[in-house]
Amino acid sequence: MKLSISLYSFAREYFDRKYTLEQCIAKAAEIGYQGIEIIGPQMIDNYPNPTEEFYENWHQWMKKYNVEPVCLDVFNEYMVLKNRKMTDEEQCEQLRRDIRIASRMGIHVVRVMNLYTPEQLEACIPEAERYDVTLSLEVHGPKLLNDPSVLKYLEMIDRNKTTRVSICPDISVFQYSVPPRMLRYYVAKGASVELAEYCRTAYEEGVDIDTAMETCRKLGGTPLDVLMVKNCCQGSKSDYKYLEEFAPYITHVHAKCFDELTPEGKDPTFDCERIAGILKKNGYEGYISTECEAFQYEPWQLVTETLLEQHCAMWHKLIS
C-alpha cells in the first residue's frame, strides 16, 4: 500500500490563490505523499480539453517532485446541455473522453460516481482496456458499502469477468462519530450547543437521519439546527466484514478526514487502524488517498498543513 492525496484537500488554498496547481503538488510531496489524485473540472486547465502545454507541465511536475499520478476524479455532467439531458451514448462518450485524458496524464484509475450506471460503465470497458485504465466507483456515506445499488455494479463486474471496473470505498462508510469540526462550525453559525450534542449522540446510537431531524424539530430546533443534523449525519456504519469480502474489487481508497488527531494519535471519526489492518490482511496494494474536507467547515482560515502532516504520518505508520 502507498499513500496519495486528493488535491481537493487544497481546495481552499487553490481557490484563494494561495497555491497554484504546481504548488499544491509541491506541498503534497513536501508533506510526504507519494501519489497525486486530481479532480478534472477543478484543477485541469481548459478541462475537458487540456492543452498540450498542460500535459507537458503535468509530467514535468511529476518528475520534479518525485510523485506518481494516481487517480483522476470525474463526474457525469449529463445535465450540461441547456435543452435536454444527455443520451446514454453521449454520457458514455463523455466517460471515454475522460479515460483518454487520464491515459495522457499517466493515470490508471478514474474515479466515477453512481450517476454513471452499471450499464454505462460496462459499455466503456473496451475503452478502459485499450488505455489501461480502471473505472473505480466511489462508495460514500450515507450509503452502506453493501448497499443494493453497489451490488448491481459488482454483479456487472462478475458477469464481464473484468478488472477494468472496481469500487473505491470512501471511509465515510465506516464513520463511527460526527466530525467535531462540523459540529463546531454549526455552533459558531448559531446552532444550539444542546442540539449539537444530540446530533452527535443520535448518530453514534444509529438513529436514521429523517428521525433525527424530526426529533430536532420537536426539541425546538431552528432550520439551522435541523440542517446541522442533516449534514452531520451523512456518514454510515457499514459492517467491516464487507471491506474484507469486497477486497478483490477495490483498487483505490479515499481516506476522508476533517479533524486533527486525538492526543493518542487517532482520528476522532474513523477507525483508521482497523481499516488499514483489513486492507493489509487482504493484500491490498493500491493507494490510500487522503481527502481532507476540513476547509468546508473552517471558512475563517485556510486548512493548516499540520492537519495533513498528522494524517500522512498516521497512515504511513498504519500501512508500514
Side-chain angles (χ1 to χ4, degrees):
M1 286 188 286
K2 294 189 245 183
L3 282 187
S4 60
I5 184 172
S6 170
L7 296 187
Y8 181 62
S9 303
F10 295 118
R12 179 70 64 186
E13 288 88 340
Y14 184 73
F15 292 155
D16 287 351
R17 305 282 199 259
K18 179 182 179 183
Y19 291 165
T20 62
L21 174 55
E22 181 182 1
Q23 288 170 323
C24 289
I25 295 167
K27 180 55 64 177
E30 178 186 323
I31 291 171
Y33 288 101
Q34 301 156 285
I36 300 296
E37 177 175 351
I38 186 170
I39 296 178
Q42 182 185 50
M43 291 187 179
I44 293 181
D45 187 38
N46 205 48
Y47 176 88
N49 300 295
T51 63
E52 290 301 317
E53 181 182 11
F54 169 79
Y55 287 122
E56 183 177 328
N57 287 336
W58 174 259
H59 289 293
Q60 287 178 351
W61 294 331
M62 296 298 104
K63 292 179 182 178
K64 180 178 179 180
Y65 299 106
N66 193 30
V67 290
E68 182 179 357
V70 169
C71 181
L72 173 64
D73 295 352
V74 302
F75 303 91
N76 185 350
E77 305 286 1
Y78 67 94
M79 295 294 289
V80 72
L81 303 176
K82 290 184 177 181
N83 61 333
R84 62 175 176 83
K85 176 182 173 180
M86 278 186 176
T87 65
D88 275 349
E89 178 54 31
E90 287 172 327
Q91 292 174 56
C92 289
E93 187 51 41
Q94 177 181 233
L95 183 53
R96 295 184 188 109
R97 174 206 68 200
D98 287 329
I99 289 171
R100 294 190 290 269
I101 291 173
S103 179
R104 286 288 308 272
M105 295 174 70
I107 289 173
H108 297 285
V109 175
V110 171
R111 185 231 58 180
V112 296
M113 303 182 80
N114 62 4
L115 286 178
Y116 278 117
T117 66
E119 293 75 20
Q120 289 169 337
L121 297 190
E122 183 175 17
C124 292
I125 289 174
E127 195 80 350
E129 290 277 7
R130 186 174 299 115
Y131 287 93
D132 191 19
V133 165
T134 297
L135 304 172
S136 194
L137 173 76
E138 182 175 24
V139 185
H140 194 292
K143 279 190 175 180
L144 295 169
L145 187 57
N146 63 318
D147 186 89
S149 65
V150 177
L151 299 182
K152 291 180 180 179
Y153 290 89
L154 301 188
E155 290 167 4
M156 182 273 289
I157 292 171
D158 289 342
R159 178 163 38 81
N160 284 275
K161 297 182 174 59
T162 183
T163 59
R164 293 305 173 180
V165 181
S166 67
I167 58 173
C168 167
D170 182 287
I171 65 172
S172 60
V173 298
F174 299 110
Q175 182 174 314
Y176 67 79
S177 187
V178 175
R181 178 171 264 113
M182 292 177 69
L183 293 178
R184 291 198 304 269
Y185 167 77
Y186 283 102
V187 169
K189 287 174 69 71
S192 162
V193 174
E194 292 76 16
L195 289 177
E197 178 59 20
Y198 164 74
C199 177
R200 182 188 65 78
T201 303
Y203 182 82
E204 291 179 358
E205 293 179 351
V207 178
D208 69 84
I209 294 178
D210 291 337
T211 300
M213 290 170 63
E214 184 57 31
T215 300
C216 181
R217 293 187 186 97
K218 290 179 179 178
L219 292 172
T222 66
L224 178 62
D225 294 321
V226 176
L227 181 65
M228 171 178 65
V229 172
K230 177 182 179 182
N231 289 342
C232 289
C233 296
Q234 287 292 323
S236 62
K237 295 182 177 183
S238 300
D239 191 321
Y240 287 94
K241 73 177 183 181
Y242 292 108
L243 184 60
E244 187 160 359
E245 184 176 327
F246 295 168
Y249 300 97
I250 298 173
T251 55
H252 197 61
V253 176
H254 276 168
K256 183 86 73 214
C257 71
F258 296 93
D259 293 275
E260 289 77 9
L261 303 183
T262 67
E264 297 75 30
K266 298 181 181 295
D267 188 285
T269 306
F270 310 104
D271 190 344
C272 300
E273 184 174 5
R274 185 171 184 179
I275 293 167
I278 293 172
L279 292 171
K280 287 168 68 175
K281 176 185 174 183
N282 287 275
Y284 178 66
E285 296 181 347
Y287 274 90
I288 295 177
S289 193
T290 297
E291 188 179 44
C292 179
E293 297 193 5
F295 67 89
Q296 296 189 48
Y297 303 99
E298 198 74 63
W300 304 280
Q301 63 182 32
L302 298 175
V303 174
T304 63
E305 294 164 12
T306 302
L307 189 154
L308 290 171
E309 289 168 355
Q310 286 182 0
H311 281 266
C312 184
M314 176 194 69
W315 278 105
H316 268 303
K317 183 178 179 180
L318 292 178
I319 68 177
S320 64

